[in-house]
Amino acid sequence: MITVAPTGAEHSKADVPNLPVTLEELVRTARDCERVGAAMIHIHVRDGAAKPSLDLGLLKETVAAVRENTRLIVQLSTGGAVTDPESARLGVLDAMPDSASCTMGTVNFGDDVFLNRWEFIVALHKGMQERGIVPEYEIFDLGQLTALRRLLDEHGLPSGGHVHLDLVMGVPGGMPGDTETLAAALRLIPDGASFSATGVGRTSLPVLLASLSAGGHVRVGMEDTLSYARGERVRDNAQLVARAAGLAKIAQRPPVGPEESRVLLGVAS
Ligand code: KMH
Ligand code: ZN
């Protein structure tokens, strides 16, 4: 399964003019990425000034537009930007996406701190259980896999009954994006869980290849990397998805579409 994370909250439109920030750009990106092999889209929305936003109206409009134009599994970020308050991040669930991210601990995030207190994580987990939203647990460091096991032990399985997580590797302050660390993570993944992996910046390709070889799913996109190759900027998100799909085929693990991915993740059709 290939997830595309097309926008994120960190890059500015002024610095990255090809970053999809308007609803129209996002829908076009979603369509293009579905065509070349994506099954899920991880969305951060931007406001009219291209700034990251957790406005509920915008989120609802975005979920509806992507659903209308694609069959992609729609995942909203509850991580938002490092400055977003917990209340607004929890409020994302009221947009009723198919899936939402749930980061399993606090991590240094470059010069910032991405704060995820235990009580907040539990509130997100329970909020998704109540609404029938399937979480993707975001893992920025190995100890967060231990926290995930504790969460499941104390608060039960997520909606859909299946556990899916994404290893977000190579964030300055989190775990490195390399094969050794991915292999170390495998030992800590809860039994029966599926995993995806994302390498930030120049770790994008090593992590993609390591995950494919380890039986994992993959996430790519301009949220995570703006460089396609040494000295070459990414043209658009579909370019990254197409490369991931090609490598997956070479690895004899051809991409699965949205329908098969819904069954895999326990997302209702
Ligand atoms: N923007 C980062 C602070 C998520 O989407 O859930 C958090 C993030 C994780 O991107
Ligand atoms: Zn994100």
Side-chain angles (χ1 to χ4, degrees):
M1 179 178 70
I2 300 175
T3 298
V4 62
T7 310
E10 280 70 41
H11 308 303
S12 79
K13 182 76 170 171
D15 292 343
V16 188
N18 54 342
L19 193 72
V21 295
T22 65
L23 189 54
E24 196 192 337
E25 287 168 346
L26 185 70
V27 166
R28 194 181 326 125
T29 296
R31 276 209 196 113
D32 291 347
C33 290
E34 180 179 29
R35 203 173 302 125
V36 293
M40 177 149 75
I41 184 164
H42 167 89
I43 298 176
H44 291 249
V45 303
R46 300 289 178 103
D47 63 16
K51 296 273 176 274
S53 170
L54 296 181
D55 176 80
L56 188 56
L58 270 180
L59 289 166
K60 284 183 174 169
E61 198 185 351
T62 303
V63 170
V66 176
R67 280 194 180 136
E68 214 168 282
N69 287 281
T70 73
R71 282 295 296 155
L72 293 174
I73 298 171
V74 179
Q75 178 181 95
L76 289 181
S77 165
T78 67
V82 288
T83 46
D84 284 322
E86 289 180 348
S87 56
R89 292 172 58 192
L90 269 172
V92 168
L93 302 183
D94 291 330
M96 293 300 289
D98 301 312
S99 171
S101 57
C102 177
T103 294
M104 286 310 304
T106 296
V107 65
N108 284 323
F109 197 83
D111 295 343
D112 298 308
V113 175
F114 180 29
L115 184 68
N116 294 284
R117 295 181 311 113
W118 178 250
E119 289 81 357
F120 175 67
I121 293 168
V122 171
L124 267 181
H125 178 76
K126 287 186 170 170
M128 287 196 239
Q129 279 173 330
E130 285 157 13
R131 290 169 179 78
I133 297 169
V134 173
E136 177 178 89
Y137 300 102
E138 307 295 338
I139 307 294
F140 286 73
D141 218 339
L142 293 183
Q144 294 181 7
L145 285 165
T146 313
L148 174 57
R149 294 159 84 111
R150 175 184 170 200
L151 183 74
L152 300 171
D153 282 350
E154 292 182 9
H155 298 285
L157 287 171
S159 172
H162 176 74
V163 177
H164 179 69
L165 59 95
D166 182 42
L167 304 170
V168 185
M169 310 182 77
V171 168
M175 64 183 149
D178 57 35
T179 302
E180 292 88 337
T181 307
L182 190 135
L186 296 181
R187 288 191 302 109
L188 300 169
I189 288 175
D191 288 344
S194 54
F195 75 96
S196 163
T198 311
V200 169
R202 68 182 62 174
T203 72
S204 175
L205 263 178
V207 167
L208 175 72
L209 294 168
S211 190
L212 283 175
S213 73
H217 304 283
V218 297
R219 178 176 114 175
V220 294
M222 294 174 73
E223 170 168 346
D224 302 323
T225 187
L226 296 172
S227 138
Y228 187 76
R230 198 182 297 261
E232 187 183 338
R233 305 272 286 181
V234 169
R235 189 182 62 233
D236 56 26
N237 281 283
Q239 183 190 28
L240 292 170
V241 173
R243 176 168 67 178
L247 290 169
K249 283 179 199 151
I250 289 168
Q252 299 296 297
R253 300 196 51 228
V256 287
E259 307 310 330
E260 228 178 301
S261 300
R262 276 170 208 277
V263 175
L264 185 119
L265 300 180
V267 172
S269 291

